[in-house]
Amino acid sequence: MAQEIKMQVIARVRSDFPTKFGVPRQSALVEELKSTLVFEPEFRDANALRGIEQFSHLWLIWQFSENADAGWSPTVRPPRLGGNLRLGVFATRAPFRPNPIGLSSVRLEGVETDPKLGPVLHIACADLMDGTPILDIKPYIPYTDAHPEAAAGYTAQTRLHALRVDFPEPLLARVPPEKRAALRGVLAQDPRPSYQDDPDRVYGFGFAGQEIRFRVAGETLTVVEVRDAGARP
């Protein structure tokens, strides 16, 4: 019988993504994305962060909370391979794992002491939805953690989408100025599942309190509507 190990949630992410759709597929793809880490009450001890400001980047170990009870599969279908080819789960970063744990590298932008929340970490480049449970934080150490010569496996054959984003000015004006660059970066990465390619289909996802609706034809993504989240057409 497999041994069980007890873990605790130490913090939660506050980000602009209320759901998984739209979240970048990997960390560091959209530099402009900003998030914060708010610690759980029992871990709001500034001593636990002493020295963290010396590092520019951090590793976040987190839980796939939306898939925590979904079970696991020995093989999965990576979306970036079109959803047709099965690979071993341990050769992918799929969420359906024996232990639903994710790993992200993020940029540390600052440490703030909030009068109510205690120490708060300001980060960039995260690929995490709002409320994601954080299990641990570790410093990113360049001389051991960076391997430019590493083999990329099947991901080397995967084209990184960089769509042209057509965002009409009247719609862009509905987005807060400080969120526009990040939103454009998210859209350029092509939020759609790789196996969907219907130029007439309208997709939508939540971002910073708004719903962003768009179409994709060829290599151009066109935003067709920006409305307050929860609003009806």
Side-chain angles (χ1 to χ4, degrees), residues 13 35 64 70 75 94 143 158 161 180 199 201 208 216:
V13 172
S35 309
F64 284 103
T75 62
Y143 78 88
T158 306
H161 290 262
R180 293 174 188 173
R201 178 168 179 172
V216 179

Side-chain angles (χ1 to χ4, degrees), residues 12 26 34 57 105 110 119 156 160 186 207 215 226:
R12 293 186 184 273
Q26 302 292 340
K34 312 294 183 181
H57 291 73
S105 62
L160 287 178
V186 169
F207 181 83
R215 290 190 180 97
V226 175

Side-chain angles (χ1 to χ4, degrees), residues 196-219:
Q196 294 186 4
D197 191 24
D198 182 353
D200 296 320
R201 178 168 179 172
V202 176
Y203 302 86
F205 64 93
F207 181 83
Q210 295 174 308
E211 184 176 357
I212 313 300
R213 297 173 63 78
F214 64 93
R215 290 190 180 97
V216 179
E219 294 300 308

Side-chain angles (χ1 to χ4, degrees), residues 98-227:
N99 296 303
I101 293 173
L103 179 69
S104 297
S105 62
V106 299
R107 186 173 71 245
L108 176 62
E109 299 215 315
V111 182
E112 174 193 4
T113 301
D114 184 275
K116 293 183 178 180
L117 302 176
V120 173
L121 298 183
H122 292 269
I123 60 174
C125 316
D127 55 341
L128 303 171
M129 62 180 286
D130 190 57
T132 296
I134 302 298
L135 303 176
D136 202 3
I137 300 168
K138 298 180 184 293
Y140 179 98
I141 303 174
Y143 78 88
T144 60
D145 294 351
H147 302 281
E149 76 287 358
Y154 66 88
T155 66
Q157 306 171 23
T158 306
R159 183 170 64 90
L160 287 178
H161 290 262
L163 299 178
R164 186 179 77 84
V165 178
D166 180 7
F167 209 137
E169 284 298 328
L171 297 180
L172 185 62
R174 294 181 57 85
V175 180
E178 69 276 10
K179 303 288 185 181
R180 293 174 188 173
L183 178 55
R184 280 186 173 276
V186 169
L187 293 170
Q189 290 294 323
D190 193 352
R192 301 172 303 162
S194 295
Y195 49 84
Q196 294 186 4
D197 191 24
D198 182 353
D200 296 320
R201 178 168 179 172
V202 176
Y203 302 86
F205 64 93
F207 181 83
Q210 295 174 308
E211 184 176 357
I212 313 300
R213 297 173 63 78
F214 64 93
R215 290 190 180 97
V216 179
E219 294 300 308
T220 299
L221 180 151
T222 302
V223 178
V224 298
E225 185 178 14
V226 175
R227 67 188 187 209

